[in-house]
Amino acid sequence: MSSTVGLPIKCKAMVARAPKVPMVEEEITVMPPKAGEVRVKVIANALCHTDIYTLDGHDPEGLFPCILGHEAGCIVESIGEGVTSVKIGDHVIPCYTPQCCETSCVFCQSPKSNLCPAIRSTQGQGLMPDGTVRFKDSEGKDIFHFMGCSTMSEYTVIAEISCAKINPKADLKKACLFGCGISTGLGAVWNTCKVETNSTVAVFGIGAVGLAVIQGAQMAGASKIIAIDINKDKFEMAKKLGATDCVDPTSLDIPVQKHIAGIMTDWGVDYSFDCTGNVNVMRSALECAHRGWGVSCVIGVAASGHEISTRPFQLVTGRVWKGTAFGGFKSRTDVPKLVERMMNGNINIDHFITHNFDGVLGTNQAVEALHSGECLRAVVNY
């Protein structure tokens, strides 16, 4: 791919002008990358619920106008000054959780966390690390970035430390899924909770992330995997991926946590995962965890202002409440490994892609598909 370093690029992008308003395809200008930045051509973008969460106005950091999108497969088009870890033509997955790898970063150097804060402040403000933006609309006005990615555009600019360089032979239309949801679900099992062989597991909410949790638990050797959802149509796929039991809470006469910890098991499950973002469900997930050692992991993102609660006695009697971001994976180190495992046949993700659309404008069709309740991941190919 030829480089156009130093030159602005005009391209198509889906612009979110305001919350609760459909995105509009616009011609925008993407400015060249500055020092420590990379401009990439987006090949495929998968729609994640977090994009819709922000578009619907639930994100306290949501800024408008912006370009959403954070689950993509891209090719490096040009690099800014000082960029050494990627070169023009490299295939990359933009990652909303960066990894600066600096020896001075206690988060990058610790095996306990992946929460590198190097660009957290500006990223949360919809800006690049230098405090400015790289997107201009047709009138020359600024457009905000989103999660440091903004991949609902034919071209975007990201920080070098947000680029996970992957095998160029990988299919970007599949590999894009490792930019968020699938990695998060698998990592919650393998990294955050370290689920052991013969463990018992409960998964609340079986969309794409919940199914990834089920898949990860099955691969970890869990002996009992309970899938919980109010949509019974999801149970078939859950069982294919390893769920041994499926429960619709609305069909029960007692709270689901009492059904799991008391009827389905004697004392609860070893590990439970909330993939819904509903604070009431988070409580149910904790309270069905095993007395003495049960661990409950919060994955779903709750709406702004919502708080979790339970009786302190639940924790006093040995349960642990914890959360995960991007499944605990260190983005630039671990995403390439996940892609290799996909290519080697050790991780199958084909079943997550239920819809495909073409062109940036296809993003609106992807949104409709996601709202239909029959979509796990819709991939828009640019």
Side-chain angles (χ1 to χ4, degrees):
M1 179 176 293
S2 62
S3 168
T4 54
V5 176
L7 299 177
I9 289 179
K10 289 187 180 297
C11 69
K12 295 178 181 179
M14 296 303 294
V15 180
R17 285 286 171 184
K20 303 182 187 302
V21 176
M23 293 178 286
V24 179
E25 183 186 68
E26 299 184 18
E27 182 178 80
I28 65 164
T29 299
V30 183
M31 305 306 292
K34 294 186 178 181
E37 299 175 359
V38 178
R39 186 163 61 185
V40 299
K41 177 177 175 58
V42 181
I43 303 301
N45 181 78
L47 186 67
C48 175
H49 278 281
T50 304
D51 298 314
I52 305 304
Y53 169 86
T54 300
L55 185 62
D56 287 345
H58 299 308
D59 185 355
E61 288 188 348
L63 297 168
F64 298 89
C66 71
I67 296 173
L68 300 170
H70 65 286
E71 208 172 89
C74 310
I75 301 176
V76 175
E77 175 271 339
S78 57
I79 59 176
E81 180 183 352
V83 172
T84 59
S85 63
V86 296
K87 64 183 185 301
I88 294 167
D90 281 346
H91 289 207
V92 300
I93 303 295
C95 296
Y96 68 91
T97 300
Q99 184 185 2
C100 73
C101 300
E102 297 293 335
T103 56
S104 59
C105 179
V106 296
F107 294 90
C108 283
Q109 296 305 314
S110 172
K112 298 179 180 179
S113 177
N114 64 338
L115 297 176
C116 173
I119 57 175
R120 179 67 184 88
S121 176
T122 51
Q123 185 169 306
Q125 298 173 56
L127 306 172
M128 293 302 291
D130 71 345
T132 62
V133 300
R134 302 291 168 270
F135 301 129
K136 302 285 185 181
D137 67 14
S138 60
E139 297 180 355
K141 295 180 180 178
D142 290 349
I143 302 174
F144 287 112
H145 295 254
F146 175 71
M147 294 178 72
C149 297
S150 291
T151 52
M152 290 183 184
S153 172
E154 292 175 326
Y155 288 86
T156 187
V157 179
I158 57 182
E160 177 185 13
I161 64 173
S162 299
C163 283
K165 179 181 174 180
I166 66 170
N167 190 324
K169 294 181 180 179
D171 184 349
L172 290 174
K173 296 176 183 178
K174 294 182 182 180
C176 63
L177 268 61
F178 288 114
C180 183
I182 308 309
S183 298
T184 299
L186 295 174
V189 175
W190 299 341
N191 303 326
T192 307
C193 292
K194 297 179 172 61
V195 171
E196 309 96 345
T197 301
N198 291 324
S199 298
T200 55
V201 172
V203 184
F204 289 77
I206 48 177
V209 174
L211 289 172
V213 171
I214 291 171
Q215 185 171 351
Q218 191 274 333
M219 294 174 69
S223 60
K224 189 179 188 69
I225 303 173
I226 306 169
I228 302 102
D229 203 290
I230 59 175
N231 184 351
K232 293 181 179 180
D233 292 341
K234 298 179 179 181
F235 291 165
E236 182 180 357
M237 179 61 74
K239 289 179 179 178
K240 287 182 179 178
L241 292 179
T244 57
D245 303 88
C246 296
V247 176
D248 173 6
T250 63
S251 67
L252 303 175
D253 295 326
I254 59 175
V256 65
Q257 56 265 48
K258 291 186 177 181
H259 179 74
I260 294 172
I263 296 177
M264 299 187 75
T265 67
D266 290 334
W267 297 100
V269 293
D270 299 312
Y271 300 96
S272 64
F273 299 85
D274 167 71
C275 308
T276 69
N278 183 309
V279 294
N280 295 318
V281 176
M282 293 175 192
R283 178 170 188 165
S284 297
L286 174 79
E287 294 179 0
C288 78
H290 203 292
R291 176 185 174 93
W293 62 74
V295 176
S296 186
C297 182
V298 174
I299 303 176
V301 179
S304 176
H306 288 207
E307 298 180 349
I308 53 176
S309 64
T310 192
R311 293 170 55 222
F313 184 74
Q314 294 288 336
L315 304 178
V316 170
T317 49
R319 296 167 190 83
V320 175
W321 223 341
K322 62 197 313 183
T324 191
F326 197 51
F329 284 119
K330 291 183 183 292
S331 55
R332 292 202 288 168
T333 299
D334 293 329
V335 168
K337 296 177 183 177
L338 290 172
V339 172
E340 289 297 327
R341 293 184 68 178
M342 175 194 74
M343 296 178 68
N344 293 335
N346 295 323
I347 300 178
N348 179 22
I349 63 172
D350 291 2
H351 46 271
F352 289 106
I353 303 174
T354 55
H355 295 71
N356 282 278
F357 300 101
D358 294 319
V360 173
L361 190 57
T363 303
N364 279 341
Q365 293 175 279
V367 172
E368 292 177 8
L370 200 64
H371 282 312
S372 74
E374 299 176 354
C375 174
L376 293 177
R377 275 296 183 270
V379 176
V380 183
N381 304 303
Y382 297 173

